[in-house]
Amino acid sequence: MTTTHVAAPPKPRVAAPSGMSIGDLARRPETGALIGTISVFVFFAIFGGGQFLSAGGAASWLNVAAELGIIAIPVGLLMIAGELDLSVGSVLASSSMTVAIVSGYWGAPVIVGIVAALLLGLVVGFLNGLLVTRTGVPSFIVTLATLFGLSGLTLGLSRVITGTTSVALDPGPQAKQLLGTLVAGKFEVAIFWWIAAIVVIGWLLHFSPWGNWVFAVGGDKESARTTGIPVQGVKIALFTASAFGAAVVGVIQSILYNSAQVANGQSFVFNSIIAVVIGGVLLTGGYGSVVGVVLGTLTFSIVSQGIYYTGWNSDWAALILGVLILAAVLMNNTFRRMALSYAPRMKKKG
């Protein structure tokens, strides 16, 4: 008699409610960022009390998140592609001063100043990308040089043209309504521009072939080049988008505050990178998501603003901010390592 052996069916995986396995869910780059965002929100909801949870409290960190997020999203894509942009602070300041000088000091229509400021951002970003891709010099060095060079150029030209480092601007009601008003007296219009950026860039990164190019360039640019991906073109486009995002925030700030200063924007240089890293993007490239960057931005903004609702001495604000951000990043890295080590065990069990 011939005995037929029937293979036992594989052990089923425990699936998440959405149909995604727990291993797949854990390996998502934004999972650790989500835990960090929830943790800091609960922390400040407890210690910040009703003021933190009020509309005014929500507006304080959402407004910060919107301006930071418009810059952090393209910076995040650039880091996924394995590059850095340290020049966003100077681009923000120079764009802000451009719209103020063109439309405030010279009296040109505000739309002319806005277009000039945005074009400046596009040109600076394009030049950054061109220098990085053509010379082979690390983007850290190139954009650091741009940071200082553009900052000095903005300061020098501002003094030559206006004799001062601060220029007033009267944008008019239409520009104010589009870019610089407060909704219900608390929330900035920038929040809606941030949401638009999330939707558009999120679709490009995760649902279009171009997004696959970004991940491929960050994972292994030589392999990406051999498969026909225009590596230089992708990087130049990402540097251009990064500087354009900074220029947009520069325009928003100048219209919102009716003025511009050459010192504006320098905090965005490292704040954007911090938000991106908290969001789960690897500094080595090839890993990350738009959702993660959004969550990292929210985490940073909640921490930076929530401290002031606790009633603690503001002298300790920087220390508390540094400790909580470091804890969030360490937790995110630990969670990611645990998630990645979970994959081989799932295969063995299967």
Side-chain angles (χ1 to χ4, degrees):
M1 179 181 295
T2 302
T3 303
T4 302
H5 296 279
V6 180
K11 296 179 181 180
R13 291 184 179 185
V14 180
S18 62
M20 179 184 294
S21 71
I22 287 180
D24 293 335
L25 183 62
R27 287 191 296 274
R28 293 295 304 170
E30 62 269 10
T31 302
L34 176 61
I35 293 174
T37 303
I38 294 174
S39 299
V40 297
F41 182 84
V42 171
F43 178 88
F44 287 109
I46 294 172
F47 291 98
Q51 288 186 332
F52 175 78
L53 297 174
S54 67
S60 68
W61 53 267
L62 277 175
N63 291 339
V64 171
E67 293 185 5
L68 178 60
I70 292 173
I71 297 177
I73 291 176
V75 167
L77 264 65
L78 192 58
M79 289 174 63
I80 291 174
E83 303 290 351
L84 281 173
D85 188 356
L86 302 181
S87 67
V88 291
S90 292
V91 173
L92 189 157
S94 62
S95 299
S96 180
M97 288 299 295
T98 297
V99 67
I101 291 173
V102 172
S103 299
Y105 187 78
W106 286 339
V110 68
I111 186 63
V112 176
I114 292 174
V115 171
L118 297 181
L119 284 176
L120 175 64
L122 291 174
V123 170
V124 173
F126 178 81
L127 291 177
N128 278 339
L130 196 64
L131 286 171
V132 170
T133 56
R134 294 295 178 87
T135 66
V137 176
S139 56
F140 178 89
I141 302 299
V142 170
T143 58
L144 183 63
T146 304
L147 170 70
F148 286 103
L150 186 58
S151 178
L153 184 63
T154 302
L155 175 61
L157 288 178
S158 297
R159 287 192 181 277
V160 169
I161 295 172
T162 68
T164 181
T165 59
S166 179
V167 179
L169 173 68
D170 182 10
Q174 292 183 338
K176 199 78 172 176
Q177 184 176 7
L178 180 63
L179 294 172
T181 56
L182 297 177
V183 180
K186 297 181 178 68
F187 299 91
E188 292 182 14
V189 174
I191 294 173
F192 298 104
W193 288 103
W194 180 38
I195 293 172
I198 293 169
V199 173
V200 173
I201 299 179
W203 181 84
L204 285 173
L205 183 64
H206 299 293
F207 298 99
S208 73
W210 186 80
N212 294 331
W213 291 0
V214 175
F215 283 106
V217 170
D220 188 341
K221 66 178 181 180
E222 296 303 327
S223 297
R225 185 177 286 110
T226 58
T227 59
I229 294 175
V231 174
Q232 289 189 357
V234 170
K235 288 191 176 184
I236 290 174
L238 291 173
F239 276 107
T240 304
S242 176
F244 182 77
V248 168
V249 176
V251 171
I252 289 174
Q253 287 191 348
S254 62
I255 292 177
L256 178 64
Y257 302 116
N258 299 322
S259 65
Q261 295 182 351
V262 295
N264 285 347
Q266 297 308 316
S267 63
F268 284 85
V269 176
F270 292 106
N271 290 355
S272 60
I273 296 175
I274 291 171
V276 170
V277 172
I278 292 176
V281 176
L282 292 180
L283 288 172
T284 53
Y287 187 89
S289 73
V290 170
V291 173
V293 174
V294 172
L295 292 171
T297 303
L298 287 171
T299 300
F300 178 88
S301 303
I302 290 172
V303 171
S304 63
Q305 296 300 302
I307 290 174
Y308 300 101
Y309 291 94
T310 60
W312 301 338
N313 191 328
S314 60
D315 292 343
W316 300 98
L319 173 62
I320 297 170
L321 178 63
V323 170
L324 289 178
I325 289 175
L326 179 61
V329 172
L330 291 176
M331 183 203 67
N332 192 39
N333 290 338
T334 301
F335 191 91
R336 181 169 53 242
R337 286 195 297 268
M338 292 174 60
L340 293 175
S341 66
Y342 182 69
R345 293 200 297 271
M346 290 298 296
K347 291 180 179 179
K348 291 179 180 179
K349 290 181 180 179

